[in-house]
């Protein structure tokens, strides 16, 4: 796999191809970043972008992980002391998951976001950005929560972080696209360069195949899940024998989350995947490519139950180092 293909593997969107191709031509000492609001135990949403960070490290990039304590404070996630304690736990989990500590810089937002230069730049962006534009970029408000001024400032800070972290590439889930587009629109007003960005997919809800797998609603998988937890959740997962399920009775589009987890979590981290089966059901079969596994599920060569059992085993192997590190931190 060449450098560009490795950088963009499993990306839902690349903005822009030309800019990322230029980085791929000379990736050494280039810096890529993801920002995470310290919010507790890592779940598969965090780990999907972490997989991309590992790809980027393999391509030669230095990685910057923003532990966004100020953002979390603005989002009402606790005191700074509480948030920083959570952030340190997240740092340990990322390293246990596979990020190379020698190529990863962890940065607290509060280490620079309260400096005079940053604050003045933030005010400058506020002057340039309409309220409607900031509202379009801000994260979805949960339930019936009333939007606050802090929610509007939040995406403006995210845009400015790209400059202050001195990075060459911004990475995030597809739900961060509006923020990255805001940065590309507004940073030039401060005479700062725009940066390219990669957006990873959003994995569907595990039980329904609809919408987004979320730790705030529905079923998700996290680093504290035991093998038994994983088995129970994945056995109950929506897994029709197709990559393109029919919409539900209400017309809601659906995906196959079991296949998505193979594609975005398992195959990027393992050279091959072995499905263990009794001889009477075809015996063991090893897959070196996601596409072949997906084709076998669709053709009936691979039973959904066997796919689920295999997925459980490989996800358990991926998250077990982080689970063990959490146990150590809590002891």
């Amino acid at each position: 796999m060449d450098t560009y293909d490795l950088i963009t593997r499993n990306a839902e969107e690349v903005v822009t191809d030309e800019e990322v191709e230029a980085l791929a031509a000379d990736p050494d000492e280039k810096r890529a970043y993801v920002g995470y609001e310290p919010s507790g135990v890592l779940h598969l949403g965090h780990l999907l972008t972490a997989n991309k960070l590992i790809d980027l490290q393999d391509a030669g990039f230095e990685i910057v992980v923003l532990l966004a304590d100020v953002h979390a404070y603005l989002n009402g996630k606790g005191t700074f002391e509480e948030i920083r304690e959570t952030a340190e736990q997240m740092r340990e989990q990322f390293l246990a998951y596979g990020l190379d500590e020698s190529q990863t810089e962890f940065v607290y937002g509060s280490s620079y976001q309260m400096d005079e230069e940053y604050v003045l730049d933030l005010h400058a962006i506020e002057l340039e950005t309409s309220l409607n534009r900031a509202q379009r970029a801000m994260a979805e408000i949960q339930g019936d929560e009333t939007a606050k001024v802090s929610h509007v400032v939040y995406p403006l800070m995210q845009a400015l972080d790209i400059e202050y972290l001195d990075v060459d590439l911004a990475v995030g889930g597809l739900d961060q696209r509006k923020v990255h587009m805001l940065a590309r629109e507004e940073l030039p007003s401060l005479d700062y360069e725009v940066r390219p960005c990669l957006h990873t997919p959003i994995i569907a809800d595990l039980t329904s195949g609809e919408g987004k797998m979320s730790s705030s609603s529905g079923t998700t998988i996290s680093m504290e899940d035991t093998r038994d937890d994983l088995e129970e959740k994945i056995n109950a997962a929506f897994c029709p024998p197709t990559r393109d399920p029919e919409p539900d009775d209400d017309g809601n589009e659906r995906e196959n989350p079991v296949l998505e987890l193979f594609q975005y979590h398992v195959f990027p981290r393992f050279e091959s995947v072995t499905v263990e089966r009794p001889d009477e059901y075809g015996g063991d079969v090893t897959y070196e490519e996601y596409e072949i596994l997906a084709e076998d599920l669709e053709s009936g060569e691979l039973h959904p139950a066997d796919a689920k059992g295999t997925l459980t085993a490989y996800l358990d192997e991926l998250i077990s180092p982080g689970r063990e590190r959490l146990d150590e931190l809590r002891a």
Side-chain angles (χ1 to χ4, degrees):
M1 184 179 298
D2 68 23
T3 303
Y4 177 81
D5 289 340
L6 180 59
I7 291 171
T8 60
R9 174 170 63 170
N10 288 333
E12 186 77 9
E13 182 181 44
V14 179
V15 182
T16 65
D17 278 323
E18 292 78 9
E19 293 170 82
V20 175
E21 285 171 356
L23 292 179
D26 184 21
D28 292 341
E29 298 186 1
K30 297 297 191 301
R31 287 160 58 88
Y33 111 104
V34 176
Y36 299 100
E37 184 180 290
S39 56
V41 177
L42 296 184
H43 55 72
L44 289 187
H46 298 110
L47 301 181
L48 196 149
T49 47
N51 285 335
K52 179 46 58 188
L53 297 181
I54 292 170
D55 281 346
L56 290 167
Q57 285 187 330
D58 290 343
F61 278 71
E62 298 174 5
I63 297 302
V64 179
V65 174
L66 174 62
L67 299 171
D69 54 342
V70 176
H71 290 284
Y73 182 79
L74 290 174
N75 215 10
K77 294 298 176 64
T79 66
F80 273 102
E81 182 178 354
E82 293 167 339
I83 292 166
R84 287 169 183 162
E85 182 177 347
T86 301
E88 282 302 306
Q89 292 180 2
M90 290 182 71
R91 178 186 183 277
E92 293 298 318
Q93 292 170 73
F94 278 120
L95 294 176
Y97 185 65
L99 282 176
D100 183 344
E101 188 170 8
S102 68
Q103 288 181 265
T104 307
E105 178 184 1
F106 292 89
V107 180
Y108 277 121
S110 56
S111 68
Y112 65 90
Q113 289 168 345
M114 297 179 184
D115 294 347
E116 180 180 6
E117 184 180 2
Y118 182 94
V119 172
L120 291 176
D121 274 350
L122 179 59
H123 290 330
I125 288 185
E126 291 166 353
L127 286 168
E128 293 291 332
T129 308
S130 71
L131 183 59
N132 285 340
R133 182 65 185 88
Q135 287 177 320
R136 291 201 306 273
M138 72 183 184
E140 181 179 348
I141 303 301
Q142 296 296 326
D144 57 357
E145 183 182 352
T146 301
K148 297 181 175 65
V149 173
S150 62
H151 294 139
V152 182
V153 174
Y154 192 115
L156 303 183
M157 292 176 62
Q158 287 180 276
L160 198 56
D161 291 339
I162 294 172
E163 171 64 28
Y164 274 76
L165 291 170
D166 189 27
V167 297
D168 302 284
L169 178 68
V171 179
L174 196 59
D175 53 352
Q176 296 299 307
R177 184 182 194 279
K178 292 180 180 179
V179 166
H180 291 158
M181 295 305 102
L182 175 69
R184 290 176 67 87
E185 293 167 13
E186 300 299 342
L187 287 181
S189 70
L190 301 180
D191 294 326
Y192 296 143
E193 294 181 1
V194 298
R195 273 72 159 190
C197 38
L198 296 179
H199 299 133
T200 56
I202 303 297
I203 293 178
D205 176 73
L206 195 60
T207 54
S208 69
E210 301 170 9
K212 173 184 177 181
M213 187 185 294
S214 171
S215 59
S216 59
S217 63
T219 301
T220 192
I221 291 170
S222 77
M223 266 195 178
E224 63 185 350
D225 283 342
T226 65
R227 174 64 179 258
D228 288 344
D229 292 332
L230 290 171
E231 186 171 352
E232 179 179 353
K233 291 178 179 182
I234 294 172
N235 281 344
F238 178 65
C239 184
T242 176
R243 282 177 278 193
D244 188 23
E246 294 291 329
D248 67 12
D249 292 340
D250 296 323
N252 297 309
E253 294 294 325
R254 295 188 291 185
E255 304 294 337
N256 186 324
V258 169
L259 284 180
E260 288 185 319
L261 292 174
F262 271 115
Q263 181 176 4
Y264 299 123
H265 281 284
V266 175
F267 276 92
R269 300 294 305 279
F270 295 93
E271 291 185 1
S272 62
V273 172
T274 297
V275 178
E276 297 180 357
R277 301 180 299 192
D279 290 341
E280 62 191 286
Y281 295 114
D284 294 354
V285 58
T286 297
Y287 297 98
E288 296 183 355
E289 298 177 16
Y290 161 74
E291 289 295 330
I292 299 175
L293 182 147
E295 288 171 3
D296 275 6
L297 183 73
E298 291 184 310
S299 70
E301 291 293 322
L302 175 63
H303 193 279
D306 292 322
K308 289 180 177 183
T310 303
L311 178 61
T312 298
Y314 280 88
L315 287 181
D316 183 58
E317 185 171 345
L318 281 176
I319 70 174
S320 61
R323 182 171 61 224
E324 293 168 6
R325 186 66 184 122
L326 274 173
D327 290 340
E328 293 170 0
L329 292 170
R330 292 167 174 172

